[in-house]
Amino acid sequence: MSVLRGDLADPAGHAALADAARACDAVIHAAAHLGGDAVAHTSDTLRATRQLLDAMPPGQRLVLVSSIAVYDTMRVAPGGTLDESAPLEDAAQPRDAYAAAKLGQEALVRDSGRAAWLMRPGVVWGPGRTWHALMGFRVGPLFVQAGSDGELPLAHVGRVAETLVRAALTDPGGVKALNVIDDDRPDRARFLSAHRRAAGWPRAALSLPWPLWLAAARALRPLGERRPGLLREPVLRARLMPLRYPNAALRAALGGADAAPFETTLQHAVEAAP
């Protein structure tokens, strides 16, 4: 194994990147900006992807790590199913900079004409990162969470890595999108209870039903950009709306299975945290 360090967005590294790509059968592309900075996404997500595609030899398979953030939950009903058939965000009016960048990444890959997997993980979690943004928000010692209906689209980091390797070894037959989500998907009440037992937090929580969150977001709509993110309906629906996240397409295409129930995996993650 050899390691090549560099900035995918830097044109100066193109030759070295092309040499490295020629020595591979497939490429797993996971590099991107993770925040909401549109300028950073232009460089670290979009320009980096464009240069990687240019450096790859013709016919080489690509596995892109995208995100379920590309789906438009404004067009999915509460309690509905979000799978690969769900509508995508409008690239002309995306929900936020992150969704825009992931849509842009996928468009670049589709336009490249090469065989590719568009892998869309849910909430990637594991040792050192067992909490996530799909629960609610903290007010001092109290955690305010969404109601317990619906599933959490969790994706354990180890299982995500295994899935990406399986994809790299499998011909997608063109461009194929798959949601990467665990088999065991707890609702918010089960997640909170398990996290409290394993990690001791949060000690106090207040659960507010989904209709109340939605009513608050709509009532505060006249405030425009002055609202916190969770009180903007598109963001609220993407993070807290109760939904189902089946992974049948993933298992049918690439196989695999959870090695243990969620609670067991969570306990191991807490114990293994650095």
Side-chain angles (χ1 to χ4, degrees), residues 76-167:
V76 180
T81 296
L82 194 148
D83 61 13
E84 291 81 359
S85 68
L88 300 182
E89 282 275 319
D90 181 356
Q93 294 182 309
R95 177 175 65 249
D96 53 33
Y98 182 78
K102 286 301 179 182
L103 287 167
Q105 256 193 325
E106 291 194 3
L108 288 171
V109 173
R110 291 185 188 277
D111 291 345
S112 73
R114 67 177 63 249
W117 294 96
L118 305 180
M119 308 300 280
R120 297 168 176 166
V123 178
V124 180
W125 67 287
R129 187 175 179 175
T130 55
W131 197 256
H132 54 84
L134 305 190
M135 290 293 291
F137 61 91
R138 184 174 179 175
V139 181
L142 178 68
F143 190 83
V144 181
Q145 74 165 75
S148 62
D149 294 340
E151 301 173 341
L152 288 170
L154 303 183
H156 185 269
V157 63
R159 290 191 282 268
V160 171
E162 178 185 348
T163 299
L164 296 177
V165 172
R166 285 175 181 263

Side-chain angles (χ1 to χ4, degrees), residues 21-96:
R22 280 193 292 270
C24 302
D25 295 322
V27 172
I28 298 173
H29 177 36
H33 178 63
L34 291 178
D37 186 333
V39 174
H41 276 299
T42 298
S43 173
D44 300 344
T45 303
L46 300 177
R47 187 184 306 135
T49 299
R50 193 177 294 111
Q51 293 210 149
L52 174 63
L53 289 167
D54 289 344
M56 292 173 62
Q60 189 174 57
R61 184 180 307 142
L62 175 67
V63 181
L64 173 70
V65 181
S66 184
S67 170
I68 62 167
V70 297
Y71 293 110
D72 184 1
T73 49
M74 289 294 290
R75 294 191 282 161
V76 180
T81 296
L82 194 148
D83 61 13
E84 291 81 359
S85 68
L88 300 182
E89 282 275 319
D90 181 356
Q93 294 182 309
R95 177 175 65 249
D96 53 33

Side-chain angles (χ1 to χ4, degrees), residues 220-229 232:
L220 295 174
R221 189 178 297 162
L223 295 179
E225 294 300 312
R226 288 176 290 171
R227 292 170 295 169
R232 300 174 190 177

Side-chain angles (χ1 to χ4, degrees), residues 213-270:
W213 289 87
L214 185 59
R218 289 176 174 175
L220 295 174
R221 189 178 297 162
L223 295 179
E225 294 300 312
R226 288 176 290 171
R227 292 170 295 169
L230 273 182
L231 291 178
R232 300 174 190 177
E233 187 173 346
V235 176
L236 176 68
R237 292 173 74 99
R239 291 190 186 179
L240 301 185
M241 185 168 67
L243 292 170
R244 297 187 301 275
Y245 297 90
N247 66 354
L250 173 70
R251 296 309 185 210
L254 298 175
D258 291 3
F262 166 70
E263 285 82 359
T264 303
T265 308
L266 175 62
Q267 185 64 50
H268 290 166
V270 171

Side-chain angles (χ1 to χ4, degrees), residues 163-202:
T163 299
L164 296 177
V165 172
R166 285 175 181 263
L169 298 173
T170 306
D171 182 3
V175 178
K176 186 173 180 63
L178 289 175
N179 296 347
V180 183
I181 295 171
D182 293 341
D183 298 329
D184 190 0
R185 301 177 292 276
D187 64 18
R188 288 174 174 83
R190 180 181 163 202
F191 177 90
L192 186 140
S193 178
H195 200 275
R196 182 181 286 150
R197 287 196 306 272
W201 190 87

